[in-house]
Amino acid sequence: MDENSGIDTRTEADFLTHDAQVDEELLPQLVAHLREHRSRLREEWASRIQEAHLLHAMTPQEMAVETKSVYDNYVEVLETGSVEALQDYARDLSERIIPRGVETQEVVGIVLLLRDVLARSLFEKYQRDFGLLNRVLDAYEPAANRIANTVAVSFVDERERIIRQQQDAIRELSTPVLPVRERLLILPIIGVLDSERARQLTEQLLAGIRTHRAKVVVMDITGAPDVDETVANHLVQTVDASRLMGASVIITGLSPKIAQTLVTIGVDLSKMNTIGDLQGGLEEAERLLGYTVSRQVGSAG
């Protein structure tokens, strides 16, 4: 303030410095208050969670443990401002509660409820001094919003990671590369083939050929109801890639519809070794590997 003119001559930097000093003075008070009344505020928060029908997939004992942990970490982040620590905690929390069926909106909901419970507590404490109350809320709300956003993002990221893992596991189980005997693999394909699954199928098959030093692969598509033109072309490319790695591919279980698709798109059928059924394909594979194939004929006793 210019004493002669009465005009406030402080710069924006001066205001920012002043605000930072206010935050530094107020945050310890806020943290001390929230820790002093921890039990009461946590109980109020837990009651609000129940009223909102959140975390219903968790038992009361589990919810008590997690709300205690969330409250303590929330206050600690308010005190330290360490987003990294909050992110680590949010990931750990997500790993624990996602398998229990807790949804993303529930996590966001409980964090917002905690923010509201704590804000109301601060209002009650400082309501007699509106100037101080405004400064307290100015210090609290940005930090609280940052916490809510960080927890939500971390939870979504962890949930997506788990979903990707589950999808990969399901795809791997649905297209297993099975060693039948030395240098012979079987790849049973069950279910709908899309472009993504066809790509993964190729990767798994080529890795299996290398790992088992396979010379022949029997690809059985009896369980695949249909393939479109893109997937059909991908299967042809898979056969070519396998050949480059030294393995012949025998395709079995070709349905009339899939056979028609291959003809329609102009696939060079001379590149594909097709056998009617899986048993015939295995017999052909053993012949290619030099094994003697003999059929057991029952004799009358």
Side-chain angles (χ1 to χ4, degrees), residues 49-294:
I49 291 174
Q50 290 179 339
E51 291 172 2
H53 303 291
L54 300 174
L55 301 184
H56 56 276
M58 300 172 62
T59 67
Q61 293 78 12
E62 290 172 335
M63 190 170 73
V65 170
E66 294 299 350
T67 53
K68 175 179 178 295
S69 182
V70 171
Y71 186 98
D72 291 344
N73 276 273
Y74 192 101
V75 174
E76 181 178 348
V77 172
L78 282 176
E79 180 179 33
T80 64
S82 175
V83 175
E84 292 77 10
L86 177 61
Q87 289 171 333
D88 291 340
Y89 170 73
R91 280 192 294 269
D92 291 341
L93 174 65
S94 302
E95 290 176 359
R96 291 196 301 275
I97 66 178
I98 287 176
R100 301 176 193 174
V102 177
E103 299 293 336
T104 304
Q105 63 268 23
E106 292 184 90
V107 173
V108 176
I110 67 172
V111 174
L112 293 179
L113 283 177
L114 179 57
R115 182 189 67 173
D116 183 60
V117 167
L118 301 187
R120 288 172 182 270
S121 174
L122 295 174
F123 179 83
E124 291 174 2
K125 178 177 176 60
Y126 296 102
Q127 61 181 322
R128 292 180 178 83
D129 186 338
F130 283 104
L132 180 57
L133 174 62
N134 286 332
R135 292 198 299 273
V136 167
L137 294 179
D138 285 343
Y140 170 73
E141 289 181 349
N145 291 336
R146 186 166 60 251
I147 290 173
N149 182 67
T150 300
V151 171
V153 170
S154 297
F155 189 89
V156 170
D157 288 345
E158 179 63 20
R159 191 173 188 85
E160 290 179 349
R161 184 188 68 81
I162 291 175
I163 290 173
R164 285 194 299 270
Q165 283 184 338
Q166 292 172 340
Q167 290 174 337
D168 290 343
I170 291 172
R171 289 193 185 103
E172 188 171 344
L173 289 172
S174 63
T175 52
V177 179
L178 308 173
V180 178
R181 62 191 305 171
E182 187 178 1
R183 305 298 179 88
L184 173 58
L185 300 177
I186 181 172
L187 177 62
I189 301 174
I190 300 172
V192 177
L193 271 177
D194 55 21
S195 297
E196 175 61 24
R197 188 179 172 203
R199 180 193 62 77
Q200 188 181 43
L201 177 150
T202 301
E203 293 176 355
Q204 290 178 222
L205 177 58
L206 297 181
I209 291 172
R210 171 172 291 182
T211 300
H212 299 284
R213 301 175 64 197
K215 291 298 183 184
V216 182
V217 176
V218 177
M219 184 186 298
D220 183 62
I221 60 176
T222 304
D226 192 15
V227 296
D228 60 19
E229 181 176 335
T230 301
V231 175
N233 279 315
H234 201 105
L235 289 176
V236 175
Q237 294 170 5
T238 300
V239 172
D240 290 339
S242 299
R243 186 181 294 113
L244 288 174
M245 294 191 66
S248 300
V249 177
I250 300 171
I251 298 179
T252 65
L254 204 64
S255 69
K257 190 172 184 180
I258 295 177
Q260 188 175 8
T261 299
L262 294 175
V263 172
T264 301
I265 66 177
V267 171
D268 185 358
L269 299 179
S270 64
K271 293 182 177 181
M272 304 183 70
N273 186 0
T274 60
I275 303 293
D277 57 23
L278 179 58
Q279 179 63 37
L282 290 173
E283 292 175 357
E284 174 66 10
E286 292 187 330
R287 187 189 66 77
L288 292 175
L289 290 170
Y291 295 106
T292 301
V293 180
S294 60

Side-chain angles (χ1 to χ4, degrees), residues 34-47:
L34 298 178
R35 283 185 173 145
E36 179 183 356
H37 300 280
R38 172 176 174 271
S39 297
R40 176 179 62 82
L41 293 174
R42 191 167 61 82
E43 288 175 3
E44 181 180 345
W45 178 40
S47 176

